[in-house]
């Protein structure tokens, strides 16, 4: 079969790598891809949000299955456009993707269907929001409604910061249309976990748990990033808590979206805070996580095509997933300056050497091929995943391989997995 992966990051490299293991897959295209996907697939120079061009390409090449990585094309209706042309595609429709693309829609859905989440209020008027914020206890969380590439959330420790965030989001130009509405939310304490679930509109099949590391510096300090590393499974998510996430957070969301008339097919990402009062939703995303996917997919033994096709047919209840019992840990190598401004175009050495290690995978993200050399082309440049009998061994594998990879200004967090590894 001929497949197409839409996107250009480490997540998409991991998806293409997993598709390549399926005996059912003969051809993989990645649009637009990176230097890593170019080695196991054919890159197509169409940006992920050029939906019309992607439809034309898929029709022309007679693509049998398209898998979408990032949120922007989902929110822009890629799945609707492909389906209208009779093309098989895995991901939610524009309307179902609103669970990620509008935080107000998502919070209101959670409230209506009694899904546990932080209490909140929605504002469009900066004056009213400021009055409200001044009456709340700190810390307080302020969020822009729309997609803001992970940068739309401010955790204000003091009233002044909260008031500044109100103005930045509602009146500043920083968030564009994403900032037309503001959510002010209760601050939740606890450990964060991600649970991804494959969904077919009616049924869900949760994947193994993972934990992202969103902050740039060790010890979870500094500004938020797209994610600096991940590991799987998360010991803090006990079997009992995992069942609660499935029953109280994932199943009700799929039920709610179907009941509202927007059945969700694709991957539902639950970002969950394990609070003293039980698991609560921080956010839903409408897609695989990045870098969580790079830690989760290497553990999946089931054929990804069988799984995705069952989801598209609405037959997920027929599938039982098989998992590698090993732990996985992924460390991201980033450009100096990320998540702020950074330079690109530096030659990357040592990828082949890193790939020689057993139980190790290198997933490329912000890379490009220039004059036969692999060079940096983004903020998050690569992700290295190690597997092992336990998390400690997985960490050793990941960091030993990551050490072989060199480029000017390479930055990585030295402490991926610290919460799990430092707990008794
Ligand atoms: P979001 O995009 O909504 O997941 O927010 C990004 C990050 O902000 C989350 O991964 C959390 O680390 C943090 N965050 C969001 N909402 C809250 C909250 N209500 N309480 C504490 N931290 C939060
Ligand atoms: N790792 C966070 C995300 O994919 O949104």
């Amino acid at each position: 079969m001929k497949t197409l992966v839409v996107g250009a990051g480490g997540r998409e490299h991991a998806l293409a790598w997993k598709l390549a293991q399926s005996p059912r897959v003969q051809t993989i295209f990645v649009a637009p891809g990176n230097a890593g996907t170019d080695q196991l697939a054919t890159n197509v120079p169409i940006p992920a949000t050029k939906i019309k061009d992607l439809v034309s390409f898929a029709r022309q090449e007679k693509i049998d299955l398209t898998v979408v990585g990032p949120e922007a094309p989902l929110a822009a209706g890629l799945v609707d456009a492909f389906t209208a042309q009779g093309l098989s595609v895995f991901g939610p429709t524009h309307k179902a993707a609103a669970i990620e693309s509008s935080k107000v829609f998502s919070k209101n859905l959670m409230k209506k269907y009694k899904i546990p989440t932080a209490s909140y209020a929605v504002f469009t008027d900066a004056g009213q929001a400021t009055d409200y914020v001044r009456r709340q206890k700190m810390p307080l969380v302020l969020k822009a409604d729309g997609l803001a590439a992970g940068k739309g959330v401010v955790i204000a420790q003091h009233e002044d910061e909260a008031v500044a965030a109100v103005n930045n989001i509602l009146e500043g130009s920083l968030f564009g249309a994403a900032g037309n509405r503001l959510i002010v939310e209760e601050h939740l304490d606890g450990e964060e976990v991600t649970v991804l679930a494959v969904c077919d509109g009616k049924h869900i099949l949760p994947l193994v748990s993972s934990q992202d590391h969103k902050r740039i510096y060790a010890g979870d300090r500094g500004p938020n990033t797209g994610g600096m590393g991940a590991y799987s499974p998360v010991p803090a998510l006990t079997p009992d808590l995992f069942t609660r996430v499935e029953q109280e957070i994932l199943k009700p969301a799929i039920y709610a979206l179907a009941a509202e008339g927007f059945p969700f097919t694709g991957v539902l990402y639950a970002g969950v805070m394990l609070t003293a009062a039980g698991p609560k939703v921080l956010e839903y995303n409408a897609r695989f996580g990045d870098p969580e996917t790079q830690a989760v997919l290497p553990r999946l033994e089931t054929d990804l095509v069988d799984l995705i096709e069952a989801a598209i047919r609405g037959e997920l209840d027929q599938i039982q997933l098989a998992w590698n019992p090993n732990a996985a840990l992924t460390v991201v190598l980033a450009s100096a300056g990320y998540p702020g401004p950074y330079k690109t175009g530096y030659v990357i050495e040592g990828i082949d050497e890193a790939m020689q290690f057993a139980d190790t995978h290198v997933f490329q993200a912000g890379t490009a091929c220039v004059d036969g050399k692999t060079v940096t082309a983004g903020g998050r440049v690569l992700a290295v995943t190690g597997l092992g009998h336990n998390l400690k061994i997985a960490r050793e594998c990941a960091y030993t391989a990551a050490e072989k990879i060199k480029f000017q200004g390479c930055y990585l967090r030295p402490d991926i997995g610290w919460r799990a590894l430092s707990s008794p």
Side-chain angles (χ1 to χ4, degrees):
M1 97 185 321
K2 277 183 155 185
T3 58
L4 168 66
V5 176
V6 176
R11 166 184 51 205
E12 288 75 20
H13 189 177
L15 285 166
W17 166 83
K18 187 67 190 160
L19 286 176
Q21 287 165 25
S22 171
R24 299 180 54 200
V25 172
Q26 276 75 49
T27 311
I28 308 173
F29 294 102
V30 185
N34 57 44
T37 60
D38 207 27
Q39 285 169 15
L40 57 79
T42 305
N43 283 353
V44 186
I46 306 175
T49 46
K50 292 266 184 225
I51 293 177
K52 277 194 187 141
D53 296 352
L54 290 169
V55 168
S56 305
F57 175 80
R59 285 183 55 137
Q60 182 192 320
E61 286 293 335
K62 299 196 168 50
I63 299 292
D64 299 297
L65 175 64
T66 298
V67 182
V68 188
E71 58 276 20
L74 294 168
L78 184 148
V79 168
D80 311 65
F82 271 59
T83 310
Q85 296 289 330
L87 292 161
S88 179
V89 57
F90 182 57
T93 59
H94 161 73
K95 287 206 163 129
I99 197 159
E100 170 168 10
S101 62
S102 168
K103 288 185 192 284
V104 173
F105 171 82
S106 178
K107 292 296 283 192
N108 289 346
L109 195 77
M110 287 185 248
K111 191 174 183 182
K112 181 167 172 190
Y113 290 88
K114 301 194 168 48
I115 299 173
T117 188
S119 60
Y120 69 104
V122 181
F123 297 93
T124 49
D125 179 82
Q128 283 172 8
T130 304
D131 288 345
Y132 175 84
V133 156
R134 289 199 196 281
R135 295 197 305 273
Q136 304 304 308
K137 278 201 314 246
M138 299 293 139
L140 201 58
V141 182
L142 298 101
K143 301 183 176 182
D145 176 42
L147 293 178
K151 296 184 184 106
V153 177
V154 175
I155 306 206
Q157 301 296 339
H158 305 287
E159 193 180 302
D160 292 354
E161 258 178 280
V163 171
V166 166
N167 290 321
N168 273 337
I169 292 174
L170 281 177
E171 310 226 297
S173 54
L174 208 54
F175 299 102
N180 288 344
R181 289 190 290 183
L182 163 76
I183 295 171
V184 182
E185 192 172 283
E186 163 202 15
H187 182 264
L188 299 176
D189 280 320
E191 189 160 340
E192 277 186 64
V193 314
T194 300
V195 183
L196 307 170
V198 178
C199 307
D200 68 3
K202 308 182 285 287
H203 312 101
I204 67 158
L205 207 47
L207 308 185
V208 289
S209 62
S210 54
Q211 185 172 70
D212 189 8
H213 295 59
K214 291 206 164 84
R215 306 294 200 92
I216 186 76
Y217 301 128
D220 291 334
R221 289 174 300 109
N224 265 336
T225 69
M228 295 301 295
Y231 65 91
S232 170
V234 182
L237 192 71
T238 59
D240 177 47
L241 287 171
F242 192 98
T243 305
R244 287 188 64 181
V245 170
E246 188 176 353
Q247 299 298 336
E248 297 169 22
I249 288 175
L250 290 165
K251 278 191 182 157
I254 291 306
Y255 171 83
L257 285 164
E260 296 292 313
F262 320 130
F264 186 103
T265 299
V267 171
L268 183 65
Y269 168 128
V272 175
M273 189 72 95
L274 300 177
T275 75
K280 294 191 180 183
V281 178
L282 289 167
E283 63 168 342
Y284 288 112
N285 292 322
R287 52 173 174 78
F288 284 101
D290 188 339
E292 288 96 327
T293 302
Q294 294 91 305
V296 167
L297 280 189
R299 298 188 57 210
L300 179 66
E301 285 175 351
T302 307
D303 187 314
L304 187 59
V305 176
D306 292 346
L307 173 59
I308 287 177
E309 286 200 331
I312 292 173
R313 285 197 307 268
E315 292 174 359
L316 271 183
D317 52 338
Q318 311 290 316
I319 295 271
Q320 265 213 314
L321 295 177
W323 292 101
N324 178 332
N326 282 341
L329 186 141
T330 302
V331 55
V332 169
L333 280 60
S335 297
Y338 175 79
Y342 53 82
K343 290 194 181 135
T344 59
Y346 297 120
V347 173
I348 308 170
E349 312 270 11
I351 296 178
D352 288 344
E353 213 181 323
M355 285 168 68
Q356 299 307 314
F357 289 94
D359 299 324
T360 303
H361 306 285
V362 179
F363 298 117
Q364 300 192 30
T367 64
C369 191
V370 175
D371 299 333
K373 291 202 164 109
T374 303
V375 302
T376 64
R380 292 189 292 173
V381 177
L382 306 127
V384 182
T385 298
L387 289 154
H389 293 306
N390 58 42
L391 201 56
K392 201 161 166 266
I393 299 171
R395 177 178 64 175
E396 268 164 37
C397 279
Y399 279 97
T400 305
E403 261 175 32
K404 301 289 172 202
I405 300 178
K406 305 228 164 6
F407 56 89
Q408 191 174 322
C410 173
Y411 171 78
L412 53 74
R413 260 183 71 161
D415 65 337
I416 302 303
W418 71 274
R419 284 180 194 275
L421 290 162
S422 60
S423 60

